[in-house]
Amino acid sequence: MTQELQTVDNVVCSFPLRGSQCHLLEESSIPTFVIDRQHHVIFWNRACESATGRAARDVVGTDRHWSPFYPAQRPVMADLILDGATAEEVSKHYGDLWRQSTVIPGAYESEGFFPNMGSGGTWFFFTASPLINAEGQTVGAIETLQDISARKRAEDALKTHQEDLEETVLQRTEELTRAHAELATKAAILQETNEELSQYAFVVSHDLRAPLRAVRNYADFLREELEEVLNDEQRSYFDGIANALKFGDELVSDLLDFSRVGGESLTVHPVPLDEFLSELENELELPPGAQLISSRGLPTVLAERTLLRQLFSNLVTNGLKFNHSAVRRVEIGLASLNNGCCELFVRDNGIGIAPRFHDRVFKMFKRLHTHKEFEGTGIGLAIVKKAAVKLGGSVRIESEVGSGSTFLVTLPTVERNGQR
Ligand code: ADP
């Protein structure tokens, strides 16, 4: 359009318009009108008639070229150009929507919405430039129009769409924030409930100890007093009471251990594993025919000693308990070391565990054997798992029935700079 405008500008270089020039503008598809020095319309082409809905015969010769655009008389861009209006004056009419043409010297261009034109109003982009005669005098002005309603509607639709999108993003963000807050509240409640449960388990198991001890004492007194008169069957009843009480005591003590692992505070210290495992071996007082072999040069882990002791003593005890080998052996060593973590193996030459039970055995009271086959409460591995997780690690099993078991324990190590 700018190119065509330039052509028009070049052609209309003198005033009044000559026949061929008029013809050229008449045929142009760009709505164009021209006013003379007295602001009278001297040209109004067919495209302009179509764009404005106003016939040339109704406008040419008058100064009513504003009438298709505005409800009351006011200057259009061509009038302002003709009068050499200052930027301030132009802004008074067109706000900040106008600018100097970068192509045609002295020409202004702008865009505006004309609510009374067309159905629902029309957006026009318009350019006005002065008409200069051979002597350099401004003798009129020419204005061209371009209907940009379709573009504006598309822009509006895009803007609405963008606003909708922003609104949706905002809503989703709010929903996410709400969900996050709800989750945090639920997590806090869950943690509180867990702590309460742990405390409950602690109190119950602790308080069970006294009546159990009392029953054992009274049973012992009774047996002592009746020892002379008891027959074999009655003796076996007393043995039954003693065994049941022993199991009750083990259960209480394991439950207490389990609830202690759940305690809220955790104070970790660097624990050199070489030294720790030597101490553990002494504490465990291994029975004859049992071996605990620990590798040397193991890393230093970041852990709480009590939890670490519970974890490894349960694994070692199980490895020796669920074992029919002539020399029952448990080995502890380093499987891998990376990214501030170490994986330790606890391997035994015992009866092994079928892969389908590898997850189940870590659950409370889950046992694969009867009490007659192997004594136990079914809490040991639950303690192992809880302790490993609490220490920021994990535990898993590699085992087959009949080929021993390997428990792999991951724990955080002390890195060279002393950080976790
Ligand atoms: P408990 O030792 O008191 O039975 P645990 O929770 O320590 O309870 O172990 C759960 C079950 O997992 C045991 O009853 C046993 O069947 C199986 N198990 C644990 N450790 C081993 C092991 N090293 N070798 C074979 N089976 C094991």
Side-chain angles (χ1 to χ4, degrees), residues 254 314-315 318-323 348 350-353 361-363 365-369 374-383 399 404-405 407:
D254 283 355
N314 271 298
L315 289 181
N318 278 354
L320 299 174
K321 182 166 66 171
F322 299 100
N323 200 322
D348 63 56
I351 59 171
I353 306 171
V361 287
F362 289 108
K363 300 219 159 68
F365 306 120
K366 289 288 175 213
R367 308 195 71 230
L368 307 180
H369 305 93
F374 296 100
E375 287 189 353
T377 58
I379 301 175
L381 288 185
I383 292 177
S399 179
S405 306
F407 286 77

Side-chain angles (χ1 to χ4, degrees), residues 356-397:
R356 69 177 188 281
F357 297 127
H358 286 185
D359 285 334
R360 210 192 293 174
V361 287
F362 289 108
K363 300 219 159 68
M364 278 282 254
F365 306 120
K366 289 288 175 213
R367 308 195 71 230
L368 307 180
H369 305 93
T370 61
H371 202 259
K372 241 189 183 155
E373 291 172 291
F374 296 100
E375 287 189 353
T377 58
I379 301 175
L381 288 185
I383 292 177
V384 168
K385 172 113 186 211
K386 204 172 171 189
V389 171
K390 188 92 186 171
L391 291 172
S394 60
V395 57
R396 65 191 171 91
I397 303 175

Side-chain angles (χ1 to χ4, degrees), residues 161-173:
H161 189 66
Q162 251 171 357
E163 281 166 3
D164 285 355
L165 207 70
E166 276 165 22
E167 176 71 12
T168 310
V169 169
L170 217 70
Q171 270 177 15
R172 294 288 176 277
T173 312

